[in-house]
Amino acid sequence: RAKEAGRNRFKVFTERMLETAVDQLTLENDMRRGLKSNEFHLAYQPILNLDNSDLIGFEALARWSHPRRGNIPPSEFIPMAEESGLIIQLGEWVLRKALETLAQWREKSPGAENVYMSVNLSSKQFTRLELDKMVVKALKDHDLPPSCLQLEITESAIMDNTESAIRSLHRLRKAGIHFSIDDFGTGYSSLSQLQQLPVDTLKVDRAFISRMKTDPENMEIVRAVIALAHSLELNVIAEGVEDPDQLCSLMDLNCQCVQGFFFHEPMTNTKALELIERRSNKGSGTSKNKLEQA
Ligand code: C2E
Ligand code: MG
Ligand code: MG
Ligand code: MG
């Protein structure tokens, strides 16, 4: 009896494993197809400078509208794309799409000249020798100066493939492309490494910002990261700012830039262009009011 129960449990267990594996495979195939059939698109989230409330850039964020499953969040499909290697294709598509969009904005609105596009780069994309060629070509194809592109990398992406990644980073930086470290504070890069990297910006992870109010230690971490950025002459962007208290604290701490739902959620291409136009017509727009309200 016990044996039979055990066997049954094993059967259920293997069936579930199989199901998960099949799910994964299906999703992988779906993704391959989805990349070809326009199921992916980008959302753009504004990045603002707190000193003058200027709109300085947008982060491009990948979105997948699956025909049967509906919207699948990046937290699901990005890890899968990384495991399957599809991130190479997806990453290139994201970069090209983001640059195409920026080029269109620049054609339509003079205000777009002062706005950069920030694109997330996965650790896997770093192992590619052709990465820098691909990036430089994408810029050329859209007739864009390298200074309008910011690439976001995580600390672990650097740790994962140290030497070749750093070489790649240097080549791209030499070509005029800027880098930021995404989710800063969650990884394990050392200060000496940080100092050697040709990066321009630290993006303080949302987790630290959201816990600032309830946990004084988090406030100290944010303070320390901002001080570190200042002393290394790096820009700093606080991610995931959701309420006026967080904004006030960040202003007290002399945080330079912000991104978060309190200001803007990720938006469509059209809405983003409208925002650019509103901002360049009226000078400082909506977020100034938000700053004053706060
Ligand atoms: P990330 O690069 O740190 O992107 C910021 C994430 O925080 C986005 O989630 C954004 O919607 C969300 N966010 C922004 N402000 C707020 C806020 O005030 N509150 C809250 N709760 N969330 C906020 P999203 O779009 O779901 O992306 C999640 C992650 O997926 C990204 O984190 C990034 O690691 C990855 N990802 C997204 N698109 C791409 C891509 O094209 N390539 C790669 N490699 N990774 C991507
Ligand atoms: Mg990012
Ligand atoms: Mg981030
Ligand atoms: Mg994050």
Side-chain angles (χ1 to χ4, degrees):
R1 261 183 154 256
K3 216 173 176 181
E4 197 173 312
R7 211 178 300 140
N8 272 336
R9 226 176 300 146
F10 180 71
K11 194 171 158 229
V12 169
F13 177 65
T14 44
E15 271 169 7
R16 269 203 206 120
M17 268 185 25
L18 200 63
E19 234 171 71
T20 322
V22 169
D23 269 1
Q24 279 292 358
L25 265 180
T26 318
L27 206 59
E28 218 177 287
N29 283 329
D30 283 4
M31 192 162 179
R32 241 178 269 276
R33 186 211 57 225
L35 272 168
K36 285 189 194 120
S37 54
N38 282 326
E39 288 170 22
F40 285 84
H41 70 275
L42 296 181
Y44 304 90
Q45 188 178 33
I47 301 170
L48 309 165
N49 184 340
L50 282 181
D51 295 336
N52 45 20
S53 78
D54 275 355
L55 172 66
I56 56 169
F58 285 88
E59 177 172 3
L61 294 157
R63 298 287 177 262
W64 185 9
S65 323
H66 192 282
R68 274 174 300 105
R69 298 190 191 201
N71 295 334
I72 302 179
S75 55
E76 258 175 61
F77 70 76
I78 295 289
M80 193 207 72
E82 280 170 344
E83 260 167 55
S84 63
L86 277 169
I87 192 70
I88 300 297
Q89 264 170 278
L90 178 65
E92 182 167 349
W93 179 84
V94 169
L95 177 79
R96 290 193 156 272
K97 192 73 192 171
L99 292 179
E100 181 191 310
T101 304
L102 182 62
Q104 286 167 356
W105 292 346
R106 286 163 71 110
E107 245 170 57
K108 291 179 184 152
S109 169
E113 297 240 333
N114 308 316
V115 156
Y116 67 81
M117 187 62 82
S118 202
V119 175
N120 293 286
L121 212 59
S122 145
S123 137
K124 279 264 167 66
Q125 291 176 271
F126 259 128
T127 58
R128 287 267 159 145
L129 287 171
E130 316 89 70
L131 175 72
D132 34 324
K133 276 194 202 118
M134 188 276 279
V135 173
V136 169
K137 180 152 191 312
L139 281 162
K140 258 214 187 96
D141 288 348
H142 293 101
D143 237 333
L144 288 166
S147 59
C148 73
L149 177 64
Q150 175 105 222
L151 293 173
E152 299 192 8
I153 53 177
T154 59
E155 291 168 87
S156 53
I158 301 158
M159 307 304 283
D160 282 357
N161 24 159
T162 346
E163 263 192 48
S164 68
I166 292 176
R167 265 200 302 269
S168 213
L169 214 79
H170 276 282
R171 276 197 302 269
L172 284 162
R173 185 65 191 84
K174 255 202 189 128
I177 290 139
H178 293 88
F179 283 91
S180 54
I181 300 191
D182 203 356
D183 307 339
F184 187 76
T186 60
Y188 298 94
S189 59
S190 71
L191 293 185
S192 64
Q193 262 170 329
L194 187 62
Q195 196 198 6
Q196 282 165 32
L197 294 173
V199 299
D200 309 274
T201 303
L202 300 182
K203 298 189 78 172
V204 188
D205 193 64
R206 188 175 82 217
F208 299 114
I209 308 299
S210 67
R211 291 194 298 251
M212 250 188 332
K213 206 173 3 178
T214 50
D215 175 4
E217 261 177 31
N218 265 280
M219 181 77 86
E220 290 317 305
I221 292 174
V222 176
R223 189 196 304 280
V225 172
I226 293 169
L228 172 70
H230 286 160
S231 62
L232 293 175
E233 294 183 348
L234 301 173
N235 303 324
V236 57
I237 301 173
E239 294 190 291
V241 182
E242 289 181 347
D243 64 49
D245 294 334
Q246 291 166 351
L247 172 61
C248 280
S249 305
L250 290 165
M251 287 174 98
D252 281 345
L253 297 176
N254 266 322
C255 180
Q256 197 184 10
C257 302
V258 285
Q259 181 181 350
F261 293 174
F262 181 60
F263 302 98
H264 301 282
E265 293 198 14
M267 55 182 79
T268 63
N269 173 350
T270 320
K271 287 266 182 284
L273 178 60
E274 277 169 23
L275 183 69
I276 293 170
E277 282 173 341
R278 223 160 45 230
R279 289 312 207 86
S280 45
N281 290 338
K282 287 194 227 138
S284 33
T286 42
S287 92
K288 182 77 184 291
N289 297 336
K290 287 242 170 152
L291 294 184
E292 277 160 3
Q293 271 167 33

